[in-house]
Amino acid sequence: MVQILKNIAILRLVLLLSGLAFSSSVFAHQVSSVSLITHLDTDEGSYLLDAAMAVIPSEEQALNDQISPEVAARQFAEEYLVVLFDELEQTPELTIERINMSDEETPEELQQQEVVVKMNGTIPEGAKEYLLYLDPTSPMAVVMVVIKDEKPERRMQVILAGEYSRPVNIQPFVGGDPFEKPAFESSEAETAGASQEESRLSDEPGGFVSGWSGVMTSSPLLVLLPATILLMTMKVWSTVLQLGVILIGQSTVVALAACGFFPAILIAGPILGGLLAVAAFEALVHRELRWWRLNILFAAGAMAGALLVQTADFHRLFIESGGISIGRLILYVIGTELAVVVVTLLVAGVLLFLNRFAFYERSVVQPLAVLIGGYGVFEVIAKLL
């Protein structure tokens, strides 16, 4: 339990720093991070969501007066957090309490407020499953731990916008772990369920396919990044060096995240979009490979890896599995790297063909650099505003 709370604190710090770095001062009080503990009492038939929300003020005091920290927290709870039992939405009662996280010497404009929102209600009679849904418009993810009948879940959950939490069986149990299947189920049912689970797992893609599809399908940014390095120069040595830097950054983050040493960066997409725009626009200025470009590409590769670790396949392979398989991790990394290399080769083939014509730089490189850079800027604006 202590370790779980420590992990929640670390993730909340990451989310809070992200909110402080990218929140706009034109708004009033805003929720910048949320950690939540769900208490389920199957004996009493009740539930309690204990949500701690960090709230940051605006630079404009007039706006702060319009929306207090309590109101901001209530709006977040009512608009974004959806409590479901057997997929039926519930309407819990809310109680709100403000806690000042700063000392008296901290200037008022820098003080951090934390609001504790308690959402409680009654579990519907006959309900079998609990879910928490985070509305797609939520500006941030939510860190959650479930405690069922005073026993905490083994792993905390990071629920992204538009996603459901892992389902929790809320039927009464007789001994054992409340997060396992109910003890009253027959052995035949357990055997059948195990067979179905094995069949489902056998049908799901393995590490290599998941890594390949993660690059190809999760975000256009991951495909545009290797293409961008060819806009400045297509010399073999320069291309290999830039590609290698991207792959090192990407694979390092993937490996660290799979081993549990890299926290979720929820704004990895906007950061990657900004770095992509810088790399693309640089191709409009000069045609030489400078040292700072390698730093930009390494950071972009790291953010590409941070995007990959947020995919459903990555969570299935390395988070939900409950353990790390070195062989599976190697296959996943190889899949991601091969996908990046294939994209680079395909784009290089097309650009090498067009490079034979006099209009290449004016009508191919410059428009592509503007389009890719513009898309990167769009990703930053769309995700952060």
Side-chain angles (χ1 to χ4, degrees):
M1 183 64 183
V2 174
Q3 184 61 39
I4 289 175
L5 294 177
K6 288 182 179 179
N7 291 337
I8 289 178
I10 293 172
L11 277 176
R12 286 192 60 211
L13 177 61
V14 173
L15 298 176
L16 176 59
L17 292 176
S18 301
L20 289 173
F22 292 95
S23 60
S24 173
S25 61
V26 300
F27 297 100
H29 285 104
Q30 284 187 313
V31 175
S32 61
S33 68
V34 180
S35 61
L36 186 151
I37 301 177
T38 295
H39 299 267
L40 299 172
D41 190 333
T42 60
D43 292 332
E44 298 292 334
S46 62
Y47 66 90
L48 168 64
L49 277 65
D50 194 349
M53 303 185 185
V55 180
I56 56 175
S58 167
E59 296 178 359
E60 300 292 337
Q61 186 58 42
L63 294 176
N64 293 332
D65 294 338
Q66 294 177 10
I67 299 181
S68 65
E70 292 90 341
V71 172
R74 177 182 292 274
Q75 289 177 346
F76 187 94
E78 293 179 342
E79 294 179 11
Y80 303 128
L81 300 178
V82 182
V83 179
L84 301 169
F85 285 97
D86 291 347
E87 300 185 0
L88 296 178
E89 184 175 346
Q90 308 297 309
T91 306
E93 296 181 1
L94 272 64
T95 56
I96 299 176
E97 178 185 2
R98 186 200 302 192
I99 301 175
N100 195 335
M101 302 298 291
S102 304
D103 55 38
E104 297 179 353
E105 298 179 357
T106 303
E108 183 176 355
E109 62 274 10
L110 298 178
Q111 289 188 3
Q112 298 180 15
Q113 305 285 342
E114 182 170 89
V115 180
V116 177
V117 179
K118 296 184 182 295
M119 308 167 62
N120 62 285
T122 302
I123 298 176
E125 186 176 355
K128 298 180 180 179
E129 188 175 77
Y130 161 77
L131 290 169
L132 181 67
Y133 178 67
L134 187 59
D135 190 89
T137 59
S138 173
M140 70 198 67
V142 171
V143 181
M144 183 180 77
V145 168
V146 178
I147 299 178
K148 177 182 174 183
D149 295 336
E150 300 183 356
K151 291 190 177 182
E153 191 176 19
R154 292 191 182 95
R155 301 188 302 274
M156 63 181 176
Q157 307 181 44
V158 178
I159 309 171
L160 304 178
E163 290 188 354
Y164 292 89
S165 67
R166 291 192 296 268
V168 178
N169 190 313
I170 57 173
Q171 296 180 79
F173 73 102
V174 180
D177 190 331
F179 294 98
E180 299 292 342
K181 293 183 178 180
F184 56 75
E185 290 186 354
S186 65
S187 59
E188 293 182 359
E190 292 178 354
T191 303
S195 300
Q196 292 176 359
E197 180 69 9
E198 291 176 359
S199 176
R200 181 184 67 82
L201 292 176
S202 64
D203 293 336
E204 291 179 340
F208 179 83
V209 175
S210 297
W212 173 281
S213 63
V215 172
M216 294 299 190
T217 63
S218 60
S219 172
L221 293 172
L222 300 180
V223 176
L224 293 176
L225 178 58
T228 305
I229 66 178
L230 298 168
L231 297 179
M232 176 176 290
T233 176
M234 287 190 293
K235 295 179 181 179
V236 175
W237 183 86
S238 298
T239 301
V240 171
L241 180 59
Q242 293 180 82
L243 184 61
V245 168
I246 291 175
L247 293 179
I248 290 173
Q250 176 179 290
S251 300
T252 299
V253 169
V254 168
L256 290 175
C259 296
F261 298 126
F262 195 87
I265 301 181
L266 304 177
I267 56 171
I271 295 177
L272 178 55
L275 294 171
L276 186 70
V278 172
F281 289 143
E282 188 182 7
L284 298 173
V285 180
H286 60 83
R287 310 290 292 172
E288 298 296 329
L289 179 61
R290 308 291 174 82
W291 62 268
W292 61 76
R293 183 174 177 85
L294 297 180
N295 292 333
I296 293 172
L297 293 178
F298 178 82
M303 290 302 101
L307 274 182
L308 287 170
V309 303
Q310 297 178 26
T311 60
D313 277 345
F314 184 90
H315 277 259
R316 173 178 57 82
L317 291 171
F318 304 109
I319 306 300
E320 296 177 1
S321 62
I324 177 66
S325 169
I326 299 300
R328 185 187 301 152
L329 176 59
I330 292 175
L331 288 175
Y332 186 88
V333 170
I334 291 175
T336 60
E337 292 183 345
L338 184 59
V340 173
V341 171
V342 168
V343 170
T344 307
L345 292 176
L346 291 175
V347 175
V350 175
L351 295 183
L352 283 173
F353 172 77
L354 296 175
N355 192 32
R356 300 183 301 173
F357 301 98
F359 60 78
Y360 172 71
E361 184 169 346
R362 182 185 68 259
S363 301
V364 177
V365 172
Q366 294 181 2
L368 282 178
V370 172
L371 288 174
I372 293 176
Y375 180 76
V377 173
F378 169 78
E379 282 288 320
V380 176
I381 296 175
K383 296 295 176 58
L384 295 182
L385 298 183

